[in-house]
Amino acid sequence: MSLTLGRRWPASYPLALLIALLAIVPVGVLVGLASDSAELFDAHNLRVLTNTLLLMVFTVLGSVAIGVPLALITAYAQLPWRRLWLILLAAPLAIPSYIGAFTLYAAFGRGGEIQQLLGWSMPAVNGLPGATLVMTLYSYPFVMLTTRASLLSLDASLVNAARTLGMSIAASLWRVVLPRVATGIAAGALLVALYTLSDFGTPAIMRVDTFTRVIFVEYNAFGLSQAAMLSLQLLVIVGLVLFLESRVRGNKERPGRHLTLWPSRGQKLLMALVFAPVFVLAIVLPLLVFGIWLWREGTAGFDATYAWNSAHASFLAALVAVVLAIPVAHAAIAGRAGRFMERLTYFGFGVPGIVMGTALVYVGLQLPFLYQTLGLLVLAYVLRFLPLAVGSVRSTAEGLDPSLVKAARLLGASPREAFQRITLPLTIRGMVAGAALVFLEAMRELPATLMLGPTGFETLATYLWRVYEAGYFGRAAIPGLLLVLMSALGLALMLSGERRAEFDVTGK
Amino acid sequence: MSIQRSFAAPGGAVSVDQLPKLEGEITLYLGRGEGGLYENVLEAIRKRNPKLNLKIRRGATAALANSIVAESKAGVKRADVFWAVDSGAIGLISDAGLARPLPADLIAQLRPGFQYTQWAPVTGRVRTLPYNTDRLTAEQIPESVMALADSDLSIGWAPAYASFQSFVTAMRLLEGDKVTADWLRAIKARATTYAGELGVVMAVERGEVDLGFANHYYTLRLKNGKPDAKVALGFTKNDAGCLVNAGGILALSDGDLPINFIRYLLTEEVQSYLASEAYEIPLVEGAKPPQGLPPLDSISPPKIDLTQLADLRPTLNLMRRVGVL
């Protein structure tokens, strides 16, 4: 009897399968749309492809160039207020890159805020170099954090051996430490690549014709089939990056003593001088620009319902995502087929918001009761950010000691009761964390909200975009600051998670 | 169509006090581009009519026009009225047979030459070449927009903006597709793209580019806020470069509410507000033209029927083909 039980599908499978199938519906829709009348490829596409790839490659290079040294410093260097430096250097993650693009665009250039304030004539930040700068400033923390995590898991004794054998600090970092964290760096770099591919606001504001921007133009002309074709081309690249990412696996070393570096006063000063511009450009400048606008124009035009709408829709998305994540996460733990279903839902995270929007607009037109409803918008958020919830729920569920559930079952509890009384209470933390992540991502999502939102439904992100398009930059202050504030909460959540990991490593 | 003559006759516009109160729910698709000024008008209408539940969907005019057509094809109707900043987008809707006819008394309020049965022009605008006064003098502005293709000036434009697309449509009708495509290609080589035409004018003023393509009012508004702004209006002669176009509104649903809503936009109050604050040209009989626009008899717009500007699809295809969209 036990054999037949073992062969039966786990209870979470049917639901998980359904959710996984739902997650790939947008891709099916796009294929159907694109086969309609779209041109596969022309000279214009080649330019778009080139721009997209160049932006991705340059951003990855820039992020590695900034992120890896910062990871070394924050992991190993003994500096006063280490915790504070880490938070400050990771802070760009709290700012959606389109806010950075917006403020940098407004601050630099002829007649920009810097010139108005200080009278210095500054070069304009726009085009491919501008977009690369902005994307690098806001995505290097991915590389910094993944690299730092790898660095913290290393044992210092190899470095000490190298040092005893006469290698300098710099040489031993280069030849002993870095090769061992290559996978950490690669993981961060791939995240950066993914983020760059899916971003819409930055290329639009910097006026670079990347896939996301051109898709938006096509959608606006209601060239849905051409937009779908471009979306599929973008998805091929995204799929490639996702594949590479799945190949990158961290090699775990048995953690040992941490490497500690004691920089001299001059070296500290040098570090500060080199990295201050990064912090100033990514954090200080946007906040300063918003501050100036707030002071100059006040809160004119802003309506508290924008913030409420953002919070409301994002909250619904977070709730639905977590509810859907539970069966998927449990299926993933239950077996190979479940793991495959989980992989399918991960696809949504690689689908840029603009692509999701294009697909769901079409779905809405076919299903009028969904068109321009909050429900469709929430569905878009859920499909995109479900993996965040799944990942979070699964990792806490995996951490559970299975013997607890077995003990409960042995004592006569039904599977349902064991889940309710053992599994659920112990995984609630993961659910809350997952929900928070979905909430924050949904709050920042711009293109899908623009395309799918109900009539009259203005969120912080769409209001910010409207203000940008109309040229009333001053009115961006309040929604911009609110978005940054909300995102900062998400960052705090992430860092508190990382601190736990760090304590684990050091055995405290 | 003579603008000078149409400005002469006084009377025609009614006051909001004479209009019935608006009640019920209505969805407006608002082609944006005018920033807060249209919003202010709508806010005033809302305040006057507390029982009106006005829902507004904002978007680029061409995008909303396309949405309306796509929605009707899919059998999904959402918009009751469509306020477009450009007559090309309006023509797209009325050509699709979606616009409801307007009552004769409403049409009669409009200036001769701007009376249509399917839609009501709200305000007019002239295509201009705003130029940086530090870099150029009025004499250096070519008389023909076609001549710009052979100049070595740096240019700012907003190809995604509906008014620009109507301008290209006018050029297509006047000069033909091939000439227009060549012209677009030549300009593109020297052009910087902006999101909207306010952005174009601001860039001209900052000196990012020598000259731009924009509707007249952006320059006037900028100069109103900044009298010493280094920008002036340039006009071409007898070609698409000085096209006189109109933004307007049409009803997509039957019933009195959409029609009465349209009446509000044609009142003296709204018309003079849009003239004095937005520097747009009022199109209701009797309302005064905006300050700062050069004498209209010095402008020689091409002879084109505005409804022909609805032929937007070939324009979009052409712009896409040469890679400016």
Side-chain angles (χ1 to χ4, degrees):
Chain A
M1 191 193 87
S2 63
L3 259 177
T4 44
L5 253 185
R7 278 205 198 125
R8 244 179 46 198
W9 269 31
S12 54
Y13 268 27
L15 254 179
L17 183 65
L18 209 69
I19 297 163
L21 288 178
L22 185 68
I24 52 170
V25 161
V27 182
V29 168
L30 289 175
V31 172
L33 267 176
S35 63
D36 193 17
S37 65
E39 284 178 39
L40 180 63
F41 214 79
D42 56 20
H44 185 46
N45 280 34
L46 196 65
R47 199 164 52 86
V48 174
L49 178 70
T50 314
N51 282 342
T52 308
L53 292 178
L54 282 180
L55 179 60
M56 184 180 90
V57 169
F58 287 154
T59 304
V60 165
L61 291 178
S63 299
V64 170
I66 298 179
V68 172
L70 283 181
L72 281 166
I73 292 174
T74 53
Y76 293 154
Q78 278 301 324
L79 300 168
W81 314 308
R82 291 180 66 181
R83 195 83 219 149
L84 178 72
W85 295 127
L86 178 61
I87 291 172
L88 289 183
L89 289 169
L93 277 186
I95 300 187
S97 55
Y98 58 81
I99 285 187
F102 191 177
T103 47
L104 253 64
Y105 174 73
F108 281 86
R110 231 197 276 229
E113 296 294 339
I114 294 179
Q115 194 179 28
Q116 283 182 36
L117 233 64
L118 305 170
W120 306 343
S121 102
M122 302 297 278
V125 173
N126 60 27
L128 187 60
T132 305
L133 174 70
V134 171
M135 293 307 297
T136 302
L137 284 176
Y138 292 96
S139 49
Y140 80 80
F142 287 119
V143 177
M144 183 184 87
L145 290 174
T146 53
T147 310
R148 191 179 119 86
S150 308
L151 287 173
L152 288 176
S153 72
L154 293 187
D155 188 345
S157 43
L158 273 178
V159 176
N160 292 340
R163 297 274 287 133
T164 334
L165 294 170
M167 208 182 249
S168 73
I169 288 261
S172 55
L173 284 180
W174 182 254
R175 296 186 51 186
V176 179
V177 174
L178 282 185
R180 288 149 78 204
V181 293
T183 50
I185 298 173
L190 288 167
L191 277 179
V192 171
L194 214 56
Y195 182 66
T196 312
L197 286 176
S198 68
D199 193 40
F200 159 72
T202 306
I205 292 171
M206 292 293 154
R207 302 191 300 258
V208 197
D209 277 337
T210 59
F211 272 113
T212 52
R213 179 174 176 211
V214 176
I215 290 167
F216 193 63
V217 169
E218 286 295 338
Y219 158 79
N220 269 349
F222 247 79
L224 268 180
S225 59
Q226 196 62 35
M229 176 56 81
L230 289 162
S231 301
L232 287 175
Q233 292 171 6
L234 173 57
L235 279 184
V236 170
I237 308 178
V238 168
L240 219 62
V241 174
L242 280 177
F243 171 74
L244 287 176
E245 201 198 4
S246 71
R247 299 276 95 184
V248 172
R249 284 274 165 266
N251 53 330
K252 279 274 175 193
E253 287 186 25
R254 203 124 59 104
R257 267 171 49 84
H258 268 196
L259 183 66
T260 309
L261 302 175
W262 302 89
S264 67
R265 185 185 286 264
Q267 284 168 330
K268 284 180 197 168
L269 198 70
L270 190 70
M271 284 180 205
L273 276 182
V274 170
F275 291 107
V278 172
F279 181 70
V280 168
L281 279 180
I283 305 288
V284 178
L285 192 72
L287 293 181
L288 206 64
V289 168
F290 282 144
I292 292 170
W293 288 347
L294 189 63
W295 170 70
R296 200 189 291 153
E297 308 216 3
T299 56
F302 187 74
D303 188 332
T305 52
Y306 306 155
W308 163 248
N309 284 345
S310 280
H312 178 58
S314 309
F315 177 77
L316 286 176
L319 199 71
V320 176
V322 167
V323 169
L324 294 186
I326 292 169
V328 178
H330 282 265
I333 297 171
R336 279 179 62 92
R339 207 146 40 242
F340 179 68
M341 293 171 203
E342 187 213 13
R343 273 285 137 197
L344 283 185
T345 66
Y346 270 63
F347 200 71
F349 196 53
V351 176
I354 196 146
V355 175
M356 187 66 80
T358 306
L360 292 193
V361 160
Y362 181 76
V363 170
L365 283 172
Q366 303 309 307
L367 305 170
F369 65 94
L370 276 178
Y371 187 63
Q372 290 181 3
T373 60
L374 188 59
L376 195 63
L377 181 63
V378 169
L379 181 68
Y381 290 158
V382 169
L383 291 182
R384 275 213 71 201
F385 304 125
L386 182 63
L388 296 176
V390 172
S392 198
V393 171
R394 196 198 53 194
S395 59
T396 34
E398 273 173 346
L400 279 186
D401 188 347
S403 53
L404 281 175
V405 176
K406 281 179 190 152
R409 297 277 284 124
L410 208 64
L411 292 170
S414 68
R416 172 189 290 263
E417 195 188 357
F419 175 75
Q420 279 173 349
R421 295 184 56 187
I422 308 283
T423 315
L424 191 67
L426 288 175
T427 46
I428 200 92
R429 269 183 67 126
M431 290 178 201
V432 171
L437 278 178
V438 174
F439 179 85
L440 289 159
E441 286 292 334
M443 189 103 170
R444 294 153 64 138
E445 170 62 51
L446 174 63
T449 317
L450 280 177
M451 294 158 103
L452 298 170
T455 294
F457 187 83
E458 200 89 57
T459 65
L460 293 177
T462 63
Y463 180 65
L464 208 63
W465 180 251
R466 172 146 73 93
V467 156
Y468 157 73
E469 274 198 321
Y472 287 86
F473 286 12
R475 295 190 172 181
I478 293 286
L481 286 171
L482 276 175
L483 268 178
V484 171
L485 187 75
M486 300 303 297
S487 305
L489 293 177
L491 182 71
L493 204 89
M494 245 185 74
L495 284 180
S496 72
E498 205 221 6
R499 184 163 50 202
R500 252 181 284 124
E502 200 179 321
F503 285 146
D504 287 345
V505 166
T506 52
K508 279 179 201 161
Chain B
M1 178 182 60
S2 156
I3 305 181
Q4 308 82 287
R5 180 170 46 80
S6 58
F7 280 136
V14 292
S15 162
V16 278
D17 298 323
Q18 294 165 258
L19 290 181
K21 288 271 182 210
L22 303 175
E23 280 178 32
E25 189 179 303
I26 191 168
T27 298
L28 167 72
Y29 275 24
L30 173 64
R32 65 180 153 217
E34 312 316 313
L37 293 160
Y38 285 9
E39 304 283 344
N40 292 350
V41 168
L42 295 168
E43 208 39 56
I45 294 177
R46 263 191 188 134
K47 244 183 214 149
R48 254 195 109 72
N49 300 282
K51 285 185 186 161
L52 178 73
N53 178 10
L54 175 64
K55 288 190 174 166
I56 305 171
R57 189 170 191 86
R58 301 174 179 86
T61 287
L64 288 177
N66 281 308
S67 299
I68 290 169
V69 173
E71 282 164 16
S72 105
K73 266 189 202 150
V76 186
K77 197 170 94 52
R78 290 290 183 271
D80 301 308
V81 269
F82 176 35
W83 186 358
V85 295
D86 179 79
S87 59
I90 288 205
L92 189 76
I93 305 292
S94 52
D95 282 356
L98 301 174
R100 300 284 184 270
L102 299 174
D105 69 304
L106 191 154
I107 297 170
Q109 285 179 300
L110 291 156
R111 290 180 192 277
F114 288 96
Q115 297 179 336
Y116 300 89
T117 53
Q118 304 274 321
W119 63 288
V122 177
T123 51
R125 64 277 315 265
V126 189
R127 295 297 301 173
T128 57
L129 304 174
Y131 61 93
N132 184 294
T133 48
D134 276 356
R135 304 261 197 98
L136 298 172
T137 62
E139 288 73 46
Q140 284 169 283
I141 308 300
E143 287 206 343
S144 155
V145 73
M146 304 314 290
L148 275 178
D150 307 319
S151 73
D152 52 3
L153 301 170
S154 64
I155 293 169
W157 66 359
Y161 187 66
S163 285
F164 184 85
Q165 292 167 359
S166 280
F167 152 74
V168 176
T169 307
M171 184 182 282
R172 264 195 329 105
L173 297 173
L174 294 165
E175 320 278 346
D177 279 12
K178 189 181 173 311
V179 176
T180 306
D182 291 343
W183 183 85
L184 282 170
R185 270 195 207 98
I187 299 291
K188 186 187 160 207
R190 259 172 300 104
T192 310
T193 303
Y194 297 88
E197 293 195 337
L198 176 64
V200 170
V201 173
M202 280 161 57
V204 170
E205 204 272 332
R206 284 199 298 271
E208 261 177 48
V209 289
D210 297 329
L211 139 167
F213 297 103
N215 285 336
H216 76 274
Y217 44 74
Y218 291 113
T219 306
L220 299 185
R221 284 182 211 164
L222 188 77
K223 289 181 87 162
N224 178 46
K226 194 176 175 187
D228 59 343
K230 300 183 188 73
V231 58
L233 285 176
F235 296 88
T236 59
K237 283 202 168 71
N238 256 319
D239 63 20
C242 60
L243 172 76
V244 173
N245 199 346
I249 187 160
L250 53 78
L252 295 155
S253 304
D254 295 315
D256 288 341
L257 186 56
I259 300 291
N260 285 336
F261 181 83
I262 292 175
R263 286 183 202 278
Y264 271 79
L265 298 188
L266 303 181
T267 55
E268 205 187 322
E269 287 85 351
V270 171
Q271 292 278 310
S272 64
Y273 175 82
L274 289 177
S276 65
E277 297 298 316
Y279 292 91
E280 298 191 37
I281 305 167
L283 292 179
V284 168
E285 288 268 18
K288 272 204 205 108
Q291 292 228 316
L293 197 64
L296 279 152
D297 50 13
S298 65
I299 300 171
S300 42
K303 286 173 185 55
I304 262 191
D305 177 0
L306 286 188
T307 47
Q308 286 189 323
L309 298 182
D311 207 12
L312 195 59
R313 186 64 73 179
T315 303
L316 293 177
N317 289 343
L318 186 138
M319 290 175 77
R320 220 173 284 155
R321 206 168 62 237
V322 299
V324 299
L325 255 191

